[in-house]
Amino acid sequence: MSIVPINDAHSSSSSDPLSLDMWDPFSDFPLPLPPSISHFFPHFGSTKTNTRLDWRETSRAHVWKVLLPGFTNEDVLVELQDERVLQVSVESGNFMTRFKVPDDANLEFLKATTNHGVLVVTVPKYEHDTNNRGINGNIRVVEIEGTD
């Protein structure tokens, strides 16, 4: 079933009933969008950041991929805190997440890169030596490499 406007207020000036001009049934909705349809338009009228965080473990490393559309590496802050907690946030305060890094990760070689709004944090695993797994200091800011 299709919706076709009856009055000429929303239709094009063309009298062709097969015209490709489309009628927008939501064009008269006031802002912000009603809750019944606002979940279909997450960016519209919202100040929240639409992000996604993925983690995967390979045989050599732990890799986190954070999608931060519209942010450059200058906007993003990656911190390694006590108890192996990695915090990723943006300068505007619209996004912040924290997660614990697994015990087999070598924090001395933690690396963060960005490319077009995608932050990739890579922490290699220890190969064989399991004695020296600590990190000195309370908070360490991680340098982010990459271009935007």
Side-chain angles (χ1 to χ4, degrees):
M1 178 176 167
S2 63
I3 300 174
V4 179
I6 297 174
N7 61 11
D8 286 349
H10 296 288
S11 63
S12 65
S13 59
S14 171
S15 59
D16 181 12
L18 300 176
S19 173
L20 296 178
D21 293 334
M22 302 298 274
W23 171 62
D24 182 7
F26 301 109
S27 64
D28 295 329
F29 277 8
L31 296 178
L33 293 175
S36 62
I37 64 166
S38 62
H39 65 278
F40 293 111
F41 306 96
H43 297 294
F44 199 73
S46 174
T47 60
K48 293 184 180 179
T49 303
N50 187 21
T51 61
R52 178 177 172 170
L53 174 82
D54 290 323
W55 169 76
R56 68 173 226 204
E57 180 179 5
T58 68
S59 61
R60 299 174 128 188
H62 296 277
V63 181
W64 289 268
K65 186 183 290 186
V66 185
L67 302 180
L68 297 166
F71 293 101
T72 64
N73 58 347
E74 289 86 21
D75 300 327
V76 180
L77 180 63
V78 177
E79 295 177 322
L80 182 62
Q81 301 175 346
D82 287 337
E83 301 299 320
R84 305 177 70 86
V85 173
L86 193 65
Q87 177 175 305
V88 177
S89 58
V90 294
E91 188 175 281
S92 64
N94 288 343
F95 175 77
M96 196 267 307
T97 187
R98 298 172 74 181
F99 43 89
K100 187 163 180 153
V101 178
D103 290 334
D104 64 346
N106 187 347
L107 298 176
E108 295 298 319
F109 296 101
L110 184 143
K111 185 171 96 172
T113 60
T114 60
N115 188 12
H116 301 292
V118 179
L119 171 71
V120 178
V121 178
T122 306
V123 185
K125 291 182 178 180
Y126 283 101
E127 290 187 23
H128 296 289
D129 182 21
T130 60
N131 294 331
N132 196 7
R133 291 191 178 184
I135 185 162
N136 298 330
N138 294 338
I139 296 176
R140 180 177 126 201
V141 176
V142 179
E143 183 78 25
I144 301 173
E145 302 173 2
T147 58
D148 287 320

